[in-house]
CSV table of all heavy atoms in Angstrom, one decimal:
chain,number,residue,atom,x,y,z
M,301,ARG,N,18.1,-6.3,2.2
M,301,ARG,CA,17.5,-7.2,3.0
M,301,ARG,C,16.3,-6.8,3.7
M,301,ARG,O,15.6,-7.6,4.5
M,301,ARG,CB,18.5,-7.9,4.2
M,301,ARG,CG,19.7,-8.5,3.6
M,301,ARG,CD,20.7,-8.8,4.7
M,301,ARG,NE,21.1,-7.6,5.4
M,301,ARG,CZ,21.8,-7.5,6.5
M,301,ARG,NH1,22.1,-8.6,7.1
M,301,ARG,NH2,22.2,-6.4,7.0
M,302,ASP,N,15.9,-5.6,3.4
M,302,ASP,CA,14.7,-5.0,4.2
M,302,ASP,C,13.5,-5.2,3.3
M,302,ASP,O,13.3,-4.8,2.2
M,302,ASP,CB,14.9,-3.4,4.3
M,302,ASP,CG,13.7,-2.9,5.0
M,302,ASP,OD1,12.8,-3.5,5.4
M,302,ASP,OD2,13.8,-1.6,5.2
M,303,PRO,N,12.5,-6.1,3.8
M,303,PRO,CA,11.3,-6.3,2.9
M,303,PRO,C,10.5,-5.1,2.8
M,303,PRO,O,9.9,-5.0,1.7
M,303,PRO,CB,10.6,-7.4,3.7
M,303,PRO,CG,11.2,-7.3,5.2
M,303,PRO,CD,12.5,-6.9,5.0
M,304,PHE,N,10.4,-4.1,3.6
M,304,PHE,CA,9.8,-2.9,3.4
M,304,PHE,C,10.3,-2.1,2.4
M,304,PHE,O,9.5,-1.6,1.6
M,304,PHE,CB,9.7,-2.1,4.8
M,304,PHE,CG,8.9,-0.9,4.8
M,304,PHE,CD1,7.4,-1.0,4.5
M,304,PHE,CD2,9.5,0.3,5.1
M,304,PHE,CE1,6.8,0.3,4.6
M,304,PHE,CE2,8.7,1.5,5.1
M,304,PHE,CZ,7.5,1.4,4.8
M,305,ALA,N,11.5,-2.2,2.1
M,305,ALA,CA,12.1,-1.5,1.0
M,305,ALA,C,11.6,-2.0,-0.4
M,305,ALA,O,11.2,-1.3,-1.3
M,305,ALA,CB,13.6,-1.5,1.0
M,306,HIS,N,11.6,-3.4,-0.4
M,306,HIS,CA,11.1,-4.0,-1.6
M,306,HIS,C,9.6,-3.8,-2.0
M,306,HIS,O,9.1,-3.5,-3.0
M,306,HIS,CB,11.5,-5.5,-1.7
M,306,HIS,CG,12.9,-5.8,-1.8
M,306,HIS,ND1,13.6,-5.9,-3.0
M,306,HIS,CD2,13.9,-6.0,-0.9
M,306,HIS,CE1,14.8,-6.0,-2.8
M,306,HIS,NE2,15.1,-6.2,-1.5
M,307,TRP,N,8.9,-3.8,-0.8
M,307,TRP,CA,7.4,-3.6,-0.7
M,307,TRP,C,7.1,-2.2,-1.4
M,307,TRP,O,6.3,-2.0,-2.1
M,307,TRP,CB,6.8,-3.7,0.7
M,307,TRP,CG,5.5,-3.5,0.8
M,307,TRP,CD1,4.4,-4.3,0.4
M,307,TRP,CD2,4.9,-2.3,1.4
M,307,TRP,NE1,3.1,-3.8,0.8
M,307,TRP,CE2,3.4,-2.5,1.3
M,307,TRP,CE3,5.3,-1.1,1.9
M,307,TRP,CZ2,2.4,-1.6,1.9
M,307,TRP,CZ3,4.4,-0.1,2.3
M,307,TRP,CH2,3.0,-0.3,2.3
M,308,THR,N,7.9,-1.2,-0.9
M,308,THR,CA,7.6,0.3,-1.4
M,308,THR,C,8.0,0.3,-2.9
M,308,THR,O,7.3,1.1,-3.6
M,308,THR,CB,8.3,1.3,-0.6
M,308,THR,OG1,9.8,1.0,-0.4
M,308,THR,CG2,7.7,1.4,0.8
M,309,LEU,N,9.1,-0.3,-3.2
M,309,LEU,CA,9.4,-0.2,-4.6
M,309,LEU,C,8.3,-1.0,-5.5
M,309,LEU,O,8.1,-0.5,-6.6
M,309,LEU,CB,10.8,-1.0,-4.8
M,309,LEU,CG,11.4,-0.9,-6.2
M,309,LEU,CD1,11.4,0.4,-6.8
M,309,LEU,CD2,12.8,-1.5,-6.2
M,310,GLY,N,7.9,-2.1,-5.0
M,310,GLY,CA,6.7,-2.8,-5.7
M,310,GLY,C,5.5,-1.9,-5.9
M,310,GLY,O,5.0,-1.8,-7.0
M,311,ARG,N,5.2,-1.0,-5.0
M,311,ARG,CA,4.1,-0.3,-4.9
M,311,ARG,C,4.3,0.9,-5.9
M,311,ARG,O,3.4,1.2,-6.8
M,311,ARG,CB,3.6,0.3,-3.6
M,311,ARG,CG,3.1,-0.7,-2.8
M,311,ARG,CD,3.0,-0.2,-1.2
M,311,ARG,NE,1.8,0.8,-1.0
M,311,ARG,CZ,0.7,0.3,-0.8
M,311,ARG,NH1,0.3,-0.9,-0.8
M,311,ARG,NH2,-0.3,1.3,-0.6
M,312,ALA,N,5.4,1.5,-6.0
M,312,ALA,CA,5.7,2.5,-7.0
M,312,ALA,C,5.7,1.9,-8.4
M,312,ALA,O,5.1,2.5,-9.3
M,312,ALA,CB,7.2,3.1,-6.7
M,313,LEU,N,6.2,0.7,-8.6
M,313,LEU,CA,6.2,0.1,-9.9
M,313,LEU,C,4.9,-0.3,-10.4
M,313,LEU,O,4.4,-0.2,-11.5
M,313,LEU,CB,7.0,-1.2,-9.8
M,313,LEU,CG,8.7,-1.0,-9.8
M,313,LEU,CD1,9.3,-2.4,-9.4
M,313,LEU,CD2,9.1,-0.4,-11.1
M,314,LEU,N,4.0,-0.5,-9.4
M,314,LEU,CA,2.6,-0.8,-9.8
M,314,LEU,C,1.9,0.3,-10.3
M,314,LEU,O,1.2,0.3,-11.3
M,314,LEU,CB,1.8,-1.4,-8.5
M,314,LEU,CG,0.6,-2.2,-8.6
M,314,LEU,CD1,1.0,-3.5,-9.6
M,314,LEU,CD2,0.1,-2.8,-7.4
M,315,LEU,N,2.1,1.5,-9.7
M,315,LEU,CA,1.6,2.8,-10.3
M,315,LEU,C,2.2,3.1,-11.6
M,315,LEU,O,1.6,3.9,-12.4
M,315,LEU,CB,1.6,3.9,-9.2
M,315,LEU,CG,0.8,3.8,-7.9
M,315,LEU,CD1,1.0,5.2,-7.3
M,315,LEU,CD2,-0.6,3.5,-8.3
M,316,MET,N,3.4,2.7,-11.9
M,316,MET,CA,4.1,2.9,-13.1
M,316,MET,C,3.5,1.9,-14.2
M,316,MET,O,4.2,1.9,-15.3
M,316,MET,CB,5.5,2.9,-12.9
M,316,MET,CG,6.2,4.0,-12.0
M,316,MET,SD,7.8,3.6,-11.4
M,316,MET,CE,8.7,3.8,-12.9
M,317,ARG,N,2.8,1.0,-13.8
M,317,ARG,CA,2.2,-0.1,-14.6
M,317,ARG,C,3.3,-1.1,-15.1
M,317,ARG,O,3.1,-1.8,-16.1
M,317,ARG,CB,1.5,0.4,-15.9
M,317,ARG,CG,0.4,1.5,-15.5
M,317,ARG,CD,-0.4,2.0,-16.7
M,317,ARG,NE,-1.4,3.0,-16.3
M,317,ARG,CZ,-2.6,3.1,-16.9
M,317,ARG,NH1,-2.9,2.4,-17.8
M,317,ARG,NH2,-3.4,4.1,-16.3
M,318,GLU,N,4.2,-1.2,-14.3
M,318,GLU,CA,5.3,-2.2,-14.5
M,318,GLU,C,4.9,-3.4,-13.7
M,318,GLU,O,5.4,-3.7,-12.7
M,318,GLU,CB,6.6,-1.6,-14.1
M,318,GLU,CG,7.1,-0.5,-14.9
M,318,GLU,CD,7.5,-0.9,-16.2
M,318,GLU,OE1,7.8,-1.9,-16.5
M,318,GLU,OE2,7.7,0.1,-17.1
M,319,HIS,N,3.7,-4.1,-14.1
M,319,HIS,CA,3.2,-5.1,-13.2
M,319,HIS,C,4.1,-6.3,-12.9
M,319,HIS,O,4.3,-6.7,-11.7
M,319,HIS,CB,1.9,-5.6,-13.8
M,319,HIS,CG,1.0,-4.6,-13.8
M,319,HIS,ND1,-0.3,-4.8,-14.6
M,319,HIS,CD2,0.8,-3.3,-13.4
M,319,HIS,CE1,-1.1,-3.7,-14.5
M,319,HIS,NE2,-0.4,-2.8,-13.8
M,320,ASP,N,4.8,-6.7,-14.0
M,320,ASP,CA,5.7,-7.9,-13.7
M,320,ASP,C,6.8,-7.6,-12.8
M,320,ASP,O,7.2,-8.3,-12.0
M,320,ASP,CB,6.3,-8.3,-15.0
M,320,ASP,CG,5.2,-9.1,-16.0
M,320,ASP,OD1,4.1,-9.5,-15.4
M,320,ASP,OD2,5.4,-9.2,-17.2
M,321,GLU,N,7.5,-6.4,-12.8
M,321,GLU,CA,8.5,-6.0,-12.0
M,321,GLU,C,8.0,-5.8,-10.5
M,321,GLU,O,8.7,-6.0,-9.7
M,321,GLU,CB,9.1,-4.6,-12.6
M,321,GLU,CG,9.9,-4.8,-13.7
M,321,GLU,CD,11.2,-5.7,-13.6
M,321,GLU,OE1,11.7,-5.6,-12.6
M,321,GLU,OE2,11.4,-6.5,-14.5
M,322,ALA,N,6.7,-5.2,-10.4
M,322,ALA,CA,6.2,-5.1,-9.2
M,322,ALA,C,5.9,-6.4,-8.5
M,322,ALA,O,6.3,-6.5,-7.3
M,322,ALA,CB,4.9,-4.4,-9.2
Side-chain angles (χ1 to χ4, degrees):
R301 297 172 300 169
D302 182 1
F304 184 56
H306 292 277
W307 179 76
T308 54
L309 181 53
R311 287 170 76 84
L313 289 166
L314 205 53
L315 288 188
M316 295 166 69
R317 304 187 184 215
E318 299 286 346
H319 295 173
D320 290 341
E321 290 297 319

